[in-house]
Amino acid sequence: MANSNKSFGDSTPVEAREDGSQLVPQHDPFDVRKLRRKMDLHLVPVVAVLYLFCFIDRSNLGNAKISGMEKDLKMTGSEYNIILSSFYVGYILLEVPVVIICKWMGPAWFLPLTSIGFGICSVCTAFVSTVPQACAVRFLLGVFEAGMMPGIAYYLSRFYARAELTFRLSLYIVTAPLAGAFGGLLAGGILKLPRIGWLTGWRMIFALEGILTVGVAVVTLFLMANGPDTARWLSAEEKKLAVERLRVERTASRESAQGEGAVDGGGAREKMARNARRFLRGVYSPVTLSVGFIFLLDAVTVQAFAFFLPTIVRTIYPKSTTVQQQLYTVPPYLVGALVMVSMSALSWRTDRRQIFFKPSTTMVLIGYIMFLSSTDPRVRYGATFLVASCFALGPLTNAQVAANVVSDTTRSAAISINCMFAHIGGLVGSWSFVEWDAPHYRIGNSINLGTSVGILVLSTATLLWMKADNKARDRKQAETSESELTQEGVEDLDWRHPSWRWKP
């Protein structure tokens, strides 16, 4: 690799000629826009629908609780929280392994098949009659859902350039708040039915939503491709352009965007060792660890919001009917979706992510201050609209860890670790609102206020560190000759490479 004054972290990719001079590949903007539109039409709707049903099948427990499930299963004390926690046990344990399976199997097979799995688990929930049975089914639901968020993020990163990725991630993660809105509407509609077969009440919610999930997943088996080079809906010229765009952006790595097939020589054992080193680069990246902890803090709020919003609405409007309470949960989710897409669009246009952690988190912080400072139902319901801004950090954090590594293996590791942190936060969130803290839930609101403050402090500190470390790398690069490094060392260094620059 030739020495240069330009870092491979810069937004304009650089390739070295044989004589050591630089070649900056130029792509026709019209062709790039046409390719991007085609990818948007073929990729985003498919993964968005999958994630929509993933989040519906996860969060419908909150809708079922206020629709009779709590009474029918004779839940007492903290048993609802225990059921919630059992989901995260499977989720956290399998987070990293299933992403490795996703990479090995290929996202085009893995994502639909795991969706079929959690759809079946949702249907099974309709037949539970005890709390232990509900815990077992929720554990299996967590196992099958563990690979969805990191798997889809990894899948899209195989197609989109760094600056484009955040907005595309938002277009599927936005289905999380939309799932809350749609789930509330769907639950309200289902509860108006007298029965589905021999199922009645809350059991119909799980059965019908699970059946819909399986049907959608089966269809997506025929729509997905593992990468640009296998996409049937791209022409030969478009495939070449799609692969080339990613290759030149990640030019410091000899690994292709489609996998490790381009790694030279050394046999299978050396290839595995090299992939293991690259995987660990993604795990131990300072940005991965910092942003992952930020996502953990955010997920405490996201998951608590998803699982407890119907319960909170019931405490605010106790005299409303169950269907009305379900419908009250819809508007805050719509506002959360709008904030998420807006922040992600700004991130795409500026090719920045870290700075957008602050606006949405500030709105969440204000929302919890309103919860803690007032018992007026109108004020507290208004606070839910601000708290819904917590969803914005999902695409921003996943895009940030993906943007701050190079190789395909390192990127899959960084995304999976980021999501694992988030689901540890989800486990904490499942215990942030407990029954004996009702109706004002001061403990839960205080915990989430604290996580918002933590995000603001840590995201600011990380941004300042990235800028300081880039300056230090500028000074060090002037003193270091890249030719002193072995070729294997250059390939495996990833973000440790002297030319690397963090992208805030």
Side-chain angles (χ1 to χ4, degrees):
M1 184 179 298
N3 199 11
S4 72
N5 293 324
K6 191 171 184 68
S7 70
F8 67 69
D10 289 343
S11 59
T12 303
V14 178
E15 186 178 18
R17 290 191 180 99
E18 293 295 330
D19 61 4
S21 62
Q22 293 177 353
L23 171 65
V24 180
Q26 299 292 330
H27 299 124
D28 188 325
F30 176 80
D31 291 339
V32 171
R33 286 194 298 270
K34 181 180 176 183
L35 171 66
R36 194 163 53 222
R37 281 197 300 269
K38 184 172 283 192
M39 291 193 299
D40 288 343
L41 289 172
H42 285 84
L43 297 173
V44 175
V46 174
V47 296
V49 170
L50 283 179
Y51 197 68
L52 172 72
F53 282 96
C54 171
F55 210 84
I56 285 176
D57 289 348
R58 180 191 313 181
S59 60
N60 55 14
L61 194 67
N63 301 110
K65 180 190 176 187
I66 68 171
S67 303
M69 183 180 187
E70 186 176 30
K71 180 181 178 181
D72 289 351
L73 299 190
K74 299 179 176 61
M75 293 185 200
T76 59
S78 301
E79 288 183 332
Y80 177 67
N81 303 81
I82 292 172
I83 294 173
L84 292 178
S85 300
S86 60
F87 169 85
Y88 286 104
V89 173
Y91 213 128
I92 294 167
L93 290 177
L94 274 294
E95 187 77 61
V96 175
V98 294
V99 174
I100 296 174
I101 294 172
C102 175
K103 181 176 173 58
W104 169 76
M105 181 185 293
W109 284 99
F110 174 82
L111 293 173
L113 290 176
T114 197
S115 299
I116 291 172
F118 64 69
I120 292 172
C121 288
S122 181
V123 174
C124 292
T125 311
F127 299 93
V128 302
S129 56
T130 65
V131 169
Q133 290 175 359
C135 288
V137 175
R138 293 290 293 185
F139 172 82
L140 291 175
L141 184 71
V143 169
F144 283 106
E145 286 198 7
M148 284 302 291
M149 176 180 275
I152 294 175
Y154 168 64
Y155 175 58
L156 294 181
S157 73
R158 286 185 160 196
F159 289 86
Y160 290 104
R162 183 186 71 234
E164 302 164 348
L165 185 59
T166 307
F167 185 65
R168 274 71 194 180
L169 291 178
S170 78
L171 293 179
Y172 92 82
I173 297 179
V174 73
T175 60
L178 290 179
F182 181 63
L185 289 171
L186 188 58
I190 292 172
L191 291 174
K192 291 182 179 180
L193 299 174
R195 64 178 59 247
I196 297 177
W198 62 90
L199 300 175
T200 59
W202 60 270
R203 297 181 186 276
M204 297 189 298
I205 297 175
F206 291 109
L208 185 56
E209 291 176 356
I211 291 170
L212 288 173
T213 299
V214 172
V216 168
V218 170
V219 172
T220 60
L221 272 170
F222 303 96
L223 300 177
M224 300 182 74
N226 280 320
D229 57 346
T230 61
R232 294 188 297 271
W233 37 270
L234 290 177
S235 66
E237 293 77 12
E238 289 169 334
K239 291 178 181 179
K240 182 178 179 181
L241 174 59
V243 172
E244 177 69 8
R245 291 174 70 233
L246 298 180
R247 187 187 68 80
V248 296
E249 184 172 75
R250 298 156 189 166
T251 189
S253 174
R254 296 181 63 187
E255 179 183 25
S256 76
Q258 304 309 315
E260 284 73 40
V263 176
D264 294 333
R269 183 176 298 178
E270 182 180 345
K271 180 179 176 180
M272 290 178 62
R274 188 171 293 182
N275 289 340
R277 287 194 295 271
R278 291 171 176 172
F279 190 88
L280 291 176
R281 287 278 186 257
V283 172
Y284 294 117
S285 163
V287 170
T288 298
L289 296 175
S290 172
V291 173
F293 193 71
I294 288 171
F295 202 13
L296 183 155
L297 296 174
D298 180 64
V300 173
T301 300
V302 169
Q303 301 304 331
F305 188 84
F307 289 125
F308 292 101
L309 181 60
T311 300
I312 293 170
V313 167
R314 184 172 62 180
T315 66
I316 296 173
Y317 299 107
K319 296 181 180 179
S320 299
T321 67
T322 300
V323 172
Q324 288 173 330
Q325 290 169 356
Q326 300 280 11
L327 296 179
Y328 272 126
T329 67
V330 175
Y333 278 116
L334 296 178
V335 171
L338 178 62
V339 172
M340 177 192 291
V341 174
S342 299
M343 294 294 176
S344 299
L346 289 171
S347 172
W348 172 26
R349 294 306 181 187
T350 60
D351 193 15
R352 295 290 184 270
R353 293 147 295 276
Q354 196 84 16
I355 60 173
F356 293 105
F357 290 8
K358 298 179 186 179
S360 59
T361 304
T362 300
M363 287 188 278
V364 175
L365 188 149
I366 294 171
Y368 280 111
I369 291 175
M370 291 169 64
F371 266 121
L372 288 166
S373 62
S374 177
T375 57
D376 187 308
R378 291 169 296 182
V379 173
R380 293 168 68 83
Y381 184 58
T384 64
F385 288 81
L386 294 173
V387 172
S389 302
C390 63
F391 287 96
L393 263 66
L396 289 169
T397 55
N398 274 316
Q400 181 67 329
V401 297
N404 279 282
V405 292
V406 180
S407 72
D408 193 64
T409 297
T410 313
R411 193 168 64 257
S412 67
I415 292 171
S416 64
I417 291 297
N418 186 56
C419 293
M420 186 187 75
F421 270 103
H423 297 121
I424 293 172
L427 179 60
V428 175
S430 67
W431 286 93
S432 59
F433 291 88
V434 289
E435 193 65 31
W436 49 266
D437 194 30
H440 300 306
Y441 295 103
R442 297 192 182 279
I443 294 175
N445 292 326
S446 298
I447 290 172
N448 285 281
L449 177 64
T451 60
S452 300
V453 173
I455 292 171
L456 288 173
V457 172
L458 185 55
S459 60
T460 301
T462 303
L463 180 60
L464 294 174
W465 175 84
M466 293 168 77
K467 292 181 177 179
D469 194 58
N470 281 346
K471 291 180 179 178
R473 287 168 179 258
D474 288 339
R475 292 191 297 269
K476 188 175 181 180
Q477 188 179 357
E479 304 168 359
T480 304
S481 172
E482 198 172 311
S483 61
E484 296 173 6
L485 301 171
T486 65
Q487 183 61 37
E488 181 180 350
V490 170
E491 291 174 353
D492 294 335
L493 282 174
D494 206 271
W495 54 268
R496 287 184 176 272
H497 192 283
S499 294
W500 174 256
R501 299 295 179 270
W502 302 110
K503 294 173 282 294

